[in-house]
mmCIF file of all heavy atoms in Angstrom:
data_model
loop_
_atom_site.group_PDB
_atom_site.id
_atom_site.type_symbol
_atom_site.label_atom_id
_atom_site.label_comp_id
_atom_site.label_asym_id
_atom_site.label_seq_id
_atom_site.Cartn_x
_atom_site.Cartn_y
_atom_site.Cartn_z
ATOM 1 N N ASP A 1 315.171 168.634 -14.538
ATOM 2 C CA ASP A 1 315.177 169.933 -13.863
ATOM 3 C C ASP A 1 316.482 170.677 -14.124
ATOM 4 O O ASP A 1 316.471 171.868 -14.463
ATOM 5 C CB ASP A 1 314.935 169.770 -12.364
ATOM 6 C CG ASP A 1 315.914 168.831 -11.684
ATOM 7 O OD1 ASP A 1 316.481 167.951 -12.358
ATOM 8 O OD2 ASP A 1 316.114 168.970 -10.467
ATOM 9 N N TRP A 2 317.612 169.991 -14.002
ATOM 10 C CA TRP A 2 318.918 170.601 -14.278
ATOM 11 C C TRP A 2 318.953 171.134 -15.707
ATOM 12 O O TRP A 2 319.441 172.238 -15.967
ATOM 13 C CB TRP A 2 320.010 169.563 -14.056
ATOM 14 C CG TRP A 2 321.428 170.046 -14.107
ATOM 15 C CD1 TRP A 2 321.868 171.337 -14.241
ATOM 16 C CD2 TRP A 2 322.599 169.230 -14.015
ATOM 17 N NE1 TRP A 2 323.238 171.369 -14.250
ATOM 18 C CE2 TRP A 2 323.717 170.094 -14.104
ATOM 19 C CE3 TRP A 2 322.813 167.860 -13.871
ATOM 20 C CZ2 TRP A 2 325.029 169.613 -14.050
ATOM 21 C CZ3 TRP A 2 324.116 167.379 -13.811
ATOM 22 C CH2 TRP A 2 325.216 168.253 -13.897
ATOM 23 N N GLU A 3 318.413 170.347 -16.640
ATOM 24 C CA GLU A 3 318.379 170.784 -18.037
ATOM 25 C C GLU A 3 317.540 172.048 -18.193
ATOM 26 O O GLU A 3 317.898 172.950 -18.964
ATOM 27 C CB GLU A 3 317.810 169.671 -18.916
ATOM 28 C CG GLU A 3 317.832 170.022 -20.405
ATOM 29 C CD GLU A 3 317.283 168.896 -21.264
ATOM 30 O OE1 GLU A 3 316.284 168.273 -20.872
ATOM 31 O OE2 GLU A 3 317.857 168.644 -22.341
ATOM 32 N N GLU A 4 316.440 172.138 -17.467
ATOM 33 C CA GLU A 4 315.591 173.324 -17.562
ATOM 34 C C GLU A 4 316.290 174.541 -16.971
ATOM 35 O O GLU A 4 316.221 175.640 -17.522
ATOM 36 C CB GLU A 4 314.258 173.095 -16.851
ATOM 37 C CG GLU A 4 313.291 174.272 -16.949
ATOM 38 C CD GLU A 4 312.969 174.669 -18.379
ATOM 39 O OE1 GLU A 4 312.982 173.795 -19.276
ATOM 40 O OE2 GLU A 4 312.714 175.867 -18.614
ATOM 41 N N TRP A 5 316.965 174.367 -15.844
ATOM 42 C CA TRP A 5 317.692 175.510 -15.263
ATOM 43 C C TRP A 5 318.761 176.004 -16.246
ATOM 44 O O TRP A 5 318.997 177.205 -16.360
ATOM 45 C CB TRP A 5 318.362 175.143 -13.932
ATOM 46 C CG TRP A 5 317.589 174.355 -12.935
ATOM 47 C CD1 TRP A 5 318.095 173.444 -12.041
ATOM 48 C CD2 TRP A 5 316.176 174.393 -12.665
ATOM 49 N NE1 TRP A 5 317.104 172.901 -11.269
ATOM 50 C CE2 TRP A 5 315.911 173.464 -11.617
ATOM 51 C CE3 TRP A 5 315.113 175.104 -13.207
ATOM 52 C CZ2 TRP A 5 314.626 173.240 -11.118
ATOM 53 C CZ3 TRP A 5 313.821 174.882 -12.715
ATOM 54 C CH2 TRP A 5 313.593 173.966 -11.684
ATOM 55 N N GLU A 6 319.418 175.047 -16.928
ATOM 56 C CA GLU A 6 320.448 175.432 -17.903
ATOM 57 C C GLU A 6 319.842 176.298 -19.009
ATOM 58 O O GLU A 6 320.425 177.310 -19.411
ATOM 59 C CB GLU A 6 321.088 174.178 -18.508
ATOM 60 C CG GLU A 6 322.320 174.439 -19.365
ATOM 61 C CD GLU A 6 321.995 174.792 -20.808
ATOM 62 O OE1 GLU A 6 320.949 174.320 -21.315
ATOM 63 O OE2 GLU A 6 322.768 175.549 -21.444
ATOM 64 N N LYS A 7 318.671 175.933 -19.494
ATOM 65 C CA LYS A 7 317.993 176.730 -20.521
ATOM 66 C C LYS A 7 317.646 178.113 -19.975
ATOM 67 O O LYS A 7 317.878 179.139 -20.630
ATOM 68 C CB LYS A 7 316.727 176.024 -20.992
ATOM 69 C CG LYS A 7 316.961 174.729 -21.745
ATOM 70 C CD LYS A 7 315.616 174.075 -22.079
ATOM 71 C CE LYS A 7 315.802 172.713 -22.713
ATOM 72 N NZ LYS A 7 314.491 172.038 -22.931
ATOM 73 N N LEU A 8 317.082 178.136 -18.776
ATOM 74 C CA LEU A 8 316.648 179.409 -18.190
ATOM 75 C C LEU A 8 317.829 180.303 -17.832
ATOM 76 O O LEU A 8 317.693 181.527 -17.798
ATOM 77 C CB LEU A 8 315.797 179.157 -16.940
ATOM 78 C CG LEU A 8 314.432 178.492 -17.163
ATOM 79 C CD1 LEU A 8 313.700 178.329 -15.823
ATOM 80 C CD2 LEU A 8 313.574 179.309 -18.124
ATOM 81 N N SER A 9 318.995 179.698 -17.582
ATOM 82 C CA SER A 9 320.163 180.503 -17.215
ATOM 83 C C SER A 9 320.596 181.423 -18.357
ATOM 84 O O SER A 9 321.295 182.417 -18.137
ATOM 85 C CB SER A 9 321.331 179.591 -16.817
ATOM 86 O OG SER A 9 321.857 178.906 -17.943
ATOM 87 N N ARG A 10 320.168 181.090 -19.581
ATOM 88 C CA ARG A 10 320.505 181.915 -20.735
ATOM 89 C C ARG A 10 319.521 183.069 -20.940
ATOM 90 O O ARG A 10 319.780 183.980 -21.734
ATOM 91 C CB ARG A 10 320.499 181.052 -22.003
ATOM 92 C CG ARG A 10 321.447 179.861 -21.964
ATOM 93 C CD ARG A 10 321.231 178.954 -23.173
ATOM 94 N NE ARG A 10 322.056 177.754 -23.148
ATOM 95 C CZ ARG A 10 323.271 177.675 -23.654
ATOM 96 N NH1 ARG A 10 323.794 178.731 -24.257
ATOM 97 N NH2 ARG A 10 323.961 176.541 -23.597
ATOM 98 N N GLU A 11 318.388 183.004 -20.233
ATOM 99 C CA GLU A 11 317.333 183.999 -20.406
ATOM 100 C C GLU A 11 317.530 185.195 -19.489
ATOM 101 O O GLU A 11 318.146 185.092 -18.428
ATOM 102 C CB GLU A 11 315.961 183.372 -20.137
ATOM 103 C CG GLU A 11 315.626 182.163 -21.003
ATOM 104 C CD GLU A 11 315.510 182.534 -22.462
ATOM 105 O OE1 GLU A 11 315.060 183.661 -22.755
ATOM 106 O OE2 GLU A 11 315.870 181.687 -23.320
ATOM 107 N N LYS A 12 316.947 186.322 -19.897
ATOM 108 C CA LYS A 12 316.967 187.503 -19.055
ATOM 109 C C LYS A 12 316.102 187.263 -17.832
ATOM 110 O O LYS A 12 314.966 186.808 -17.948
ATOM 111 C CB LYS A 12 316.431 188.710 -19.837
ATOM 112 C CG LYS A 12 316.271 189.965 -18.989
ATOM 113 C CD LYS A 12 315.598 191.079 -19.786
ATOM 114 C CE LYS A 12 315.366 192.307 -18.905
ATOM 115 N NZ LYS A 12 314.651 193.389 -19.656
ATOM 116 N N GLY A 13 316.636 187.542 -16.663
ATOM 117 C CA GLY A 13 315.850 187.387 -15.454
ATOM 118 C C GLY A 13 316.656 186.777 -14.320
ATOM 119 O O GLY A 13 317.798 186.334 -14.494
ATOM 120 N N GLU A 14 316.037 186.727 -13.150
ATOM 121 C CA GLU A 14 316.743 186.335 -11.937
ATOM 122 C C GLU A 14 316.391 184.932 -11.454
ATOM 123 O O GLU A 14 315.246 184.500 -11.550
ATOM 124 C CB GLU A 14 316.416 187.330 -10.813
ATOM 125 C CG GLU A 14 316.927 188.728 -11.060
ATOM 126 C CD GLU A 14 315.900 189.794 -10.677
ATOM 127 O OE1 GLU A 14 314.845 189.859 -11.331
ATOM 128 O OE2 GLU A 14 316.167 190.538 -9.725
ATOM 129 N N PHE A 15 317.406 184.248 -10.928
ATOM 130 C CA PHE A 15 317.230 183.051 -10.128
ATOM 131 C C PHE A 15 317.223 183.536 -8.681
ATOM 132 O O PHE A 15 318.271 183.780 -8.098
ATOM 133 C CB PHE A 15 318.395 182.076 -10.328
ATOM 134 C CG PHE A 15 318.347 181.279 -11.601
ATOM 135 C CD1 PHE A 15 317.426 181.551 -12.604
ATOM 136 C CD2 PHE A 15 319.228 180.228 -11.798
ATOM 137 C CE1 PHE A 15 317.389 180.799 -13.780
ATOM 138 C CE2 PHE A 15 319.196 179.467 -12.959
ATOM 139 C CZ PHE A 15 318.277 179.755 -13.950
ATOM 140 N N VAL A 16 316.064 183.698 -8.110
ATOM 141 C CA VAL A 16 315.944 184.267 -6.767
ATOM 142 C C VAL A 16 316.208 183.173 -5.733
ATOM 143 O O VAL A 16 315.432 182.222 -5.598
ATOM 144 C CB VAL A 16 314.539 184.873 -6.556
ATOM 145 C CG1 VAL A 16 314.409 185.429 -5.143
ATOM 146 C CG2 VAL A 16 314.288 185.967 -7.595
ATOM 147 N N TYR A 17 317.291 183.314 -5.017
ATOM 148 C CA TYR A 17 317.755 182.273 -4.093
ATOM 149 C C TYR A 17 317.611 182.719 -2.648
ATOM 150 O O TYR A 17 318.088 183.777 -2.254
ATOM 151 C CB TYR A 17 319.222 181.948 -4.399
ATOM 152 C CG TYR A 17 319.923 181.079 -3.383
ATOM 153 C CD1 TYR A 17 319.345 179.905 -2.902
ATOM 154 C CD2 TYR A 17 321.197 181.421 -2.918
ATOM 155 C CE1 TYR A 17 320.001 179.105 -1.975
ATOM 156 C CE2 TYR A 17 321.872 180.617 -2.006
ATOM 157 C CZ TYR A 17 321.265 179.465 -1.532
ATOM 158 O OH TYR A 17 321.915 178.682 -0.617
ATOM 159 N N SER A 18 316.942 181.899 -1.858
ATOM 160 C CA SER A 18 316.808 182.140 -0.418
ATOM 161 C C SER A 18 317.760 181.221 0.327
ATOM 162 O O SER A 18 317.728 179.995 0.140
ATOM 163 C CB SER A 18 315.375 181.871 0.045
ATOM 164 O OG SER A 18 315.305 181.936 1.473
ATOM 165 N N THR A 19 318.594 181.787 1.178
ATOM 166 C CA THR A 19 319.538 180.987 1.957
ATOM 167 C C THR A 19 318.875 180.350 3.180
ATOM 168 O O THR A 19 319.525 179.596 3.914
ATOM 169 C CB THR A 19 320.719 181.856 2.428
ATOM 170 O OG1 THR A 19 320.217 182.970 3.188
ATOM 171 C CG2 THR A 19 321.516 182.383 1.243
ATOM 172 N N GLU A 20 317.600 180.641 3.400
ATOM 173 C CA GLU A 20 316.872 180.033 4.506
ATOM 174 C C GLU A 20 316.434 178.614 4.114
ATOM 175 O O GLU A 20 316.006 178.379 2.976
ATOM 176 C CB GLU A 20 315.637 180.870 4.856
ATOM 177 C CG GLU A 20 315.948 182.306 5.270
ATOM 178 C CD GLU A 20 316.755 182.374 6.550
ATOM 179 O OE1 GLU A 20 316.523 181.528 7.439
ATOM 180 O OE2 GLU A 20 317.608 183.280 6.669
ATOM 181 N N ALA A 21 316.520 177.694 5.044
ATOM 182 C CA ALA A 21 316.091 176.309 4.777
ATOM 183 C C ALA A 21 314.570 176.256 4.839
ATOM 184 O O ALA A 21 313.979 176.125 5.901
ATOM 185 C CB ALA A 21 316.707 175.357 5.790
ATOM 186 N N MET A 22 313.945 176.363 3.680
ATOM 187 C CA MET A 22 312.492 176.458 3.601
ATOM 188 C C MET A 22 311.801 175.141 3.267
ATOM 189 O O MET A 22 310.579 175.085 3.210
ATOM 190 C CB MET A 22 312.105 177.530 2.569
ATOM 191 C CG MET A 22 312.329 178.933 3.077
ATOM 192 S SD MET A 22 311.249 179.253 4.485
ATOM 193 C CE MET A 22 312.114 180.616 5.275
ATOM 194 N N THR A 23 312.589 174.085 3.033
ATOM 195 C CA THR A 23 311.996 172.781 2.764
ATOM 196 C C THR A 23 312.813 171.695 3.450
ATOM 197 O O THR A 23 313.953 171.920 3.875
ATOM 198 C CB THR A 23 311.922 172.471 1.252
ATOM 199 O OG1 THR A 23 313.247 172.379 0.722
ATOM 200 C CG2 THR A 23 311.141 173.528 0.504
ATOM 201 N N PHE A 24 312.198 170.517 3.544
ATOM 202 C CA PHE A 24 312.854 169.351 4.120
ATOM 203 C C PHE A 24 312.756 168.229 3.086
ATOM 204 O O PHE A 24 311.656 167.762 2.782
ATOM 205 C CB PHE A 24 312.169 168.930 5.420
ATOM 206 C CG PHE A 24 312.160 170.006 6.470
ATOM 207 C CD1 PHE A 24 311.158 170.972 6.479
ATOM 208 C CD2 PHE A 24 313.150 170.070 7.443
ATOM 209 C CE1 PHE A 24 311.140 171.975 7.436
ATOM 210 C CE2 PHE A 24 313.142 171.073 8.410
ATOM 211 C CZ PHE A 24 312.139 172.029 8.404
ATOM 212 N N HIS A 25 313.891 167.834 2.536
ATOM 213 C CA HIS A 25 313.925 166.839 1.460
ATOM 214 C C HIS A 25 314.168 165.453 2.030
ATOM 215 O O HIS A 25 315.169 165.211 2.703
ATOM 216 C CB HIS A 25 315.031 167.201 0.467
ATOM 217 C CG HIS A 25 315.163 166.224 -0.651
ATOM 218 N ND1 HIS A 25 314.111 165.879 -1.468
ATOM 219 C CD2 HIS A 25 316.244 165.498 -1.080
ATOM 220 C CE1 HIS A 25 314.523 164.991 -2.361
ATOM 221 N NE2 HIS A 25 315.801 164.747 -2.146
ATOM 222 N N ARG A 26 313.235 164.542 1.742
ATOM 223 C CA ARG A 26 313.338 163.194 2.291
ATOM 224 C C ARG A 26 314.234 162.323 1.422
ATOM 225 O O ARG A 26 313.977 162.156 0.229
ATOM 226 C CB ARG A 26 311.942 162.567 2.405
ATOM 227 C CG ARG A 26 311.903 161.326 3.303
ATOM 228 C CD ARG A 26 310.488 160.787 3.396
ATOM 229 N NE ARG A 26 309.543 161.778 3.826
ATOM 230 C CZ ARG A 26 309.281 162.087 5.094
ATOM 231 N NH1 ARG A 26 309.944 161.463 6.055
ATOM 232 N NH2 ARG A 26 308.393 163.008 5.403
ATOM 233 N N VAL A 27 315.251 161.768 2.033
ATOM 234 C CA VAL A 27 316.152 160.838 1.358
ATOM 235 C C VAL A 27 315.767 159.434 1.818
ATOM 236 O O VAL A 27 315.893 159.092 2.992
ATOM 237 C CB VAL A 27 317.626 161.121 1.707
ATOM 238 C CG1 VAL A 27 318.548 160.132 0.993
ATOM 239 C CG2 VAL A 27 317.991 162.555 1.337
ATOM 240 N N HIS A 28 315.258 158.632 0.886
ATOM 241 C CA HIS A 28 314.837 157.280 1.247
ATOM 242 C C HIS A 28 314.984 156.358 0.050
ATOM 243 O O HIS A 28 315.123 156.805 -1.094
ATOM 244 C CB HIS A 28 313.387 157.276 1.768
ATOM 245 C CG HIS A 28 312.373 157.696 0.750
ATOM 246 N ND1 HIS A 28 311.619 156.803 0.028
ATOM 247 C CD2 HIS A 28 311.977 158.931 0.320
ATOM 248 C CE1 HIS A 28 310.804 157.456 -0.776
ATOM 249 N NE2 HIS A 28 311.002 158.742 -0.625
ATOM 250 N N GLU A 29 314.928 155.076 0.291
ATOM 251 C CA GLU A 29 315.210 154.080 -0.744
ATOM 252 C C GLU A 29 314.223 154.116 -1.904
ATOM 253 O O GLU A 29 314.545 153.751 -3.018
ATOM 254 C CB GLU A 29 315.212 152.669 -0.125
ATOM 255 C CG GLU A 29 316.377 152.411 0.817
ATOM 256 C CD GLU A 29 317.717 152.435 0.117
ATOM 257 O OE1 GLU A 29 317.745 152.244 -1.112
ATOM 258 O OE2 GLU A 29 318.736 152.648 0.796
ATOM 259 N N GLY A 30 313.005 154.561 -1.648
ATOM 260 C CA GLY A 30 311.991 154.548 -2.691
ATOM 261 C C GLY A 30 311.937 155.798 -3.542
ATOM 262 O O GLY A 30 311.129 155.890 -4.465
ATOM 263 N N SER A 31 312.799 156.782 -3.263
ATOM 264 C CA SER A 31 312.748 158.029 -4.013
ATOM 265 C C SER A 31 313.241 157.831 -5.436
ATOM 266 O O SER A 31 314.033 156.929 -5.730
ATOM 267 C CB SER A 31 313.595 159.106 -3.324
ATOM 268 O OG SER A 31 314.966 158.811 -3.449
ATOM 269 N N GLU A 32 312.788 158.694 -6.339
ATOM 270 C CA GLU A 32 313.203 158.587 -7.736
ATOM 271 C C GLU A 32 314.702 158.834 -7.871
ATOM 272 O O GLU A 32 315.374 158.219 -8.696
ATOM 273 C CB GLU A 32 312.430 159.601 -8.590
ATOM 274 C CG GLU A 32 312.684 159.488 -10.080
ATOM 275 C CD GLU A 32 312.225 158.165 -10.675
ATOM 276 O OE1 GLU A 32 311.434 157.456 -10.042
ATOM 277 O OE2 GLU A 32 312.683 157.835 -11.794
ATOM 278 N N THR A 33 315.247 159.730 -7.041
ATOM 279 C CA THR A 33 316.689 159.984 -7.084
ATOM 280 C C THR A 33 317.468 158.727 -6.736
ATOM 281 O O THR A 33 318.434 158.360 -7.413
ATOM 282 C CB THR A 33 317.073 161.104 -6.098
ATOM 283 O OG1 THR A 33 316.381 162.294 -6.454
ATOM 284 C CG2 THR A 33 318.569 161.367 -6.138
ATOM 285 N N SER A 34 317.036 158.046 -5.664
ATOM 286 C CA SER A 34 317.711 156.812 -5.266
ATOM 287 C C SER A 34 317.596 155.745 -6.343
ATOM 288 O O SER A 34 318.543 155.013 -6.619
ATOM 289 C CB SER A 34 317.121 156.291 -3.949
ATOM 290 O OG SER A 34 317.360 157.199 -2.894
ATOM 291 N N ASN A 35 316.435 155.672 -6.990
ATOM 292 C CA ASN A 35 316.223 154.674 -8.034
ATOM 293 C C ASN A 35 317.138 154.900 -9.229
ATOM 294 O O ASN A 35 317.733 153.961 -9.764
ATOM 295 C CB ASN A 35 314.765 154.694 -8.505
ATOM 296 C CG ASN A 35 313.819 154.156 -7.445
ATOM 297 O OD1 ASN A 35 314.218 153.391 -6.567
ATOM 298 N ND2 ASN A 35 312.564 154.554 -7.511
ATOM 299 N N THR A 36 317.267 156.154 -9.661
ATOM 300 C CA THR A 36 318.091 156.424 -10.832
ATOM 301 C C THR A 36 319.577 156.281 -10.520
ATOM 302 O O THR A 36 320.374 155.970 -11.403
ATOM 303 C CB THR A 36 317.824 157.837 -11.397
ATOM 304 O OG1 THR A 36 317.985 158.806 -10.358
ATOM 305 C CG2 THR A 36 316.419 157.940 -11.957
#
């Protein structure tokens, strides 16, 4: 995902960012992030 954002950052267009907390990210031992 980071690699894709880096590619898109070079393209014309907006990264539309909402400062509102619109999601809840679960941090747990079985997540792919924890595994890597």
Side-chain angles (χ1 to χ4, degrees):
D1 56 335
W2 188 5
E3 184 179 41
E4 182 57 30
W5 316 148
E6 189 275 330
K7 293 176 186 175
L8 293 181
S9 70
R10 302 172 183 271
E11 303 295 326
K12 174 186 177 182
E14 294 138 294
F15 282 9
V16 178
Y17 169 48
S18 172
T19 57
E20 300 296 324
M22 286 296 159
T23 64
F24 301 85
H25 179 55
R26 196 178 305 275
V27 180
H28 64 99
E29 291 295 338
S31 71
E32 186 64 17
T33 300
S34 296
N35 290 336
T36 54

